[in-house]
Structures are given as structure tokens and as C-alpha cells.
Amino acid sequence: MRRVVLSLAMVVAAAILAAPAFAFDEVFQRTYPLEPGGRFQLQNVNGSVEVTSWDRQEVEVRAVKSARRNRADLERVQIEVEALLNSVRVETRYPRDESVDVQVEYRVRVPRHVALRRIATVNGSVRVTGVEATGELRSVNGNIEVSDSSGRLSAHTTNGNVRVELRQLEPGGLVSLDTMNGSVVLVLPSDADAMLDARSVNGELHSELPATLGSSLGWREFHARLGAGGSPIRIRTVNGAIHVLSIRPDV
């Protein structure tokens, strides 16, 4: 009898471990026109944001709301959209003064040439792929990743890593990358022209790109000219390394 009870307990425990973390889902999906040079902005709270480009003058917003305990909680978290011909703004709104265990994961497609005014979340990562844009990317607890992109994108997080790959820099504006607890990796073309200002309190600094050193405070800080100089790049971290790498040629 004792063996049967133990077996039953193990089955129950396994079922609990296998249960999904979020039991209830709801999908939001809309498409909005956006004229060339238009702006896109998104503010999230709990959940990641992924932005990729496509060859349409439209913004497609797909969000999955997930509740852990109660399906009714899904209705208490609202996705608000303000859509104009020259701008689309998306915001996740939670009820005030109430704790709601709901996560919202965004997958967004935008025109390749777009102004990403501010893409932000509190708990989750921000990923951007294939855009030619200006704008600001933010998280508090999560990584920020940019790949196969160009323009003037800045990235800021508190607890997470930052990795930004820019195939071309847009002249005349600051690129700012910073985190408190994490590393920063910036990937640029080997012939990039920029003025680099990098500082890490507790971590190494390394650059693959040929640089003319302006000044240095040991391994914690350096100021250098990349190529002929040009667009300013500011990189900061407290606990983590800084690496400036060269884009690898496509195979």
C-alpha cells in the first residue's frame, strides 16, 4: 500500500511540474498603415518585445496576453493603440493599485525605414532585426539585442546585456549604449567612422576595429577615433565587459 501511495505522489508531482506556467492566453493582432518616415512607439511592462522589418508600409502588431491563474485577469490588462498615418503608438495598461499576474509578449513587423521613437519594457528583452531606423530601446530587467540593422539606435537596460549590430552609422547623432549589470557588445563595419567614448567600472575593454587612441584610463575607460571619426558613440557599464567588434563577412 505504501508503494502505491508513493507512486501516486510521484505522478501528481510530475503533473504539477509539467503544468504550463501560464494557463490562459488571448491573442491581439491588428495591422495599421504607416506612411514613409513614420514613427512607431511601444511601451510594455511584463514581457518581451520583438520588432522585425518587412517591405510594407504597415505596422503589424501581434501580442499574446497570458494569465497564470485566472482567465478574467486577461481582460484587466488592456492593449491601447493610437494609430495615425504618420505614427502608431502601442501601450500595455495594467490596472492601478492591483496585482495582476499577466504577461504580454509582442511580435511586431514594421517598415524597414522607420523611426522607433521608444520601444520599452520593464521585465523582458527587446529584440530588433533588419531595420534602418533611429530611436531608443529600453528595458529594466532584460537583454537588448539589435541585428542586421543600421541607423542611430540607442539601447539602455539596468539588468541585462546589450548587443547592437549596425551595418551603417547615421551621421550627426549620438549612439548611446549602457547597462548597469551586464556586458555591451557593439558590432560595426570594419571601415566605420566614429568617435568612441567607452567606460566600464568592473570589466575589460576591447576593440577589434582600428582606432586612434585619444586618451585612456587604463582598462576602465578610453576615448578613441574609429576611421576618420564622425558620429559619437557612448558606451557605459558598471559590472561587465565592453567589446567593439567588426562585422563578419557573409558566407
Side-chain angles (χ1 to χ4, degrees):
M1 180 59 130
R2 183 178 178 184
R3 181 176 300 172
V4 172
V5 172
L6 286 174
S7 298
L8 181 59
M10 292 174 66
V11 170
V12 171
I16 292 173
L17 290 173
F22 291 89
F24 307 100
D25 290 335
E26 180 179 289
V27 176
F28 171 98
Q29 185 160 347
R30 303 284 191 279
T31 302
Y32 308 96
L34 185 66
E35 64 185 24
R39 303 182 303 273
F40 178 70
Q41 179 175 333
L42 189 150
Q43 177 68 54
N44 198 16
V45 180
N46 295 314
S48 297
V49 180
E50 182 175 311
V51 179
T52 59
S53 69
W54 62 354
D55 294 323
R56 299 186 190 179
Q57 287 305 135
E58 296 176 324
V59 173
E60 181 187 71
V61 179
R62 187 179 192 275
V64 179
K65 293 193 290 185
S66 302
R68 196 182 301 271
R69 299 184 181 88
N70 193 334
R71 180 175 291 278
D73 286 344
L74 296 174
E75 297 301 320
R76 300 164 69 193
V77 175
Q78 298 298 313
I79 296 172
E80 296 184 356
V81 180
E82 179 185 84
L84 304 173
L85 284 178
N86 65 348
S87 69
V88 176
R89 183 181 62 84
V90 181
E91 184 169 357
T92 311
R93 287 197 175 273
Y94 283 72
R96 291 186 177 182
D97 304 320
E98 295 182 58
S99 177
V100 180
D101 196 358
V102 172
Q103 174 179 288
V104 183
E105 297 280 337
Y106 282 94
R107 299 292 180 267
V108 181
R109 291 196 280 188
V110 299
R112 190 172 304 277
H113 301 276
V114 66
L116 299 177
R117 283 297 187 197
R118 181 183 171 97
I119 309 298
T121 187
V122 177
N123 299 306
S125 62
V126 175
R127 293 183 293 273
V128 174
T129 304
V131 300
E132 298 176 11
T134 60
E136 182 181 17
L137 314 175
R138 282 191 174 271
S139 180
V140 177
N141 299 304
N143 298 330
I144 297 179
E145 302 173 16
V146 177
S147 60
D148 193 25
S149 296
S150 63
R152 194 169 66 246
L153 288 168
S154 297
H156 311 272
T157 186
T158 302
N159 299 304
N161 301 315
V162 175
R163 189 185 192 281
V164 174
E165 176 190 286
L166 297 177
R167 294 189 170 273
Q168 184 176 345
L169 290 171
E170 181 176 312
L174 173 69
V175 173
S176 178
L177 313 176
D178 68 76
T179 180
M180 183 73 70
N181 298 303
S183 63
V184 179
V185 176
L186 174 62
V187 187
L188 297 172
S190 58
D191 59 352
D193 297 324
M195 298 300 295
L196 182 63
D197 173 9
R199 181 188 303 166
S200 174
V201 177
N202 299 302
E204 66 175 359
L205 301 172
H206 169 71
S207 175
E208 282 185 353
L209 274 66
T212 302
L213 191 64
S215 62
S216 174
L217 294 177
W219 51 268
R220 292 190 177 188
E221 178 177 350
F222 68 83
H223 306 268
R225 186 180 74 242
L226 302 179
S231 301
I233 299 175
R234 178 183 180 275
I235 304 177
R236 296 288 188 272
T237 182
V238 176
N239 299 307
I242 294 175
H243 296 282
V244 180
L245 306 179
S246 176
I247 291 177
R248 300 292 185 260
D250 295 330
V251 177

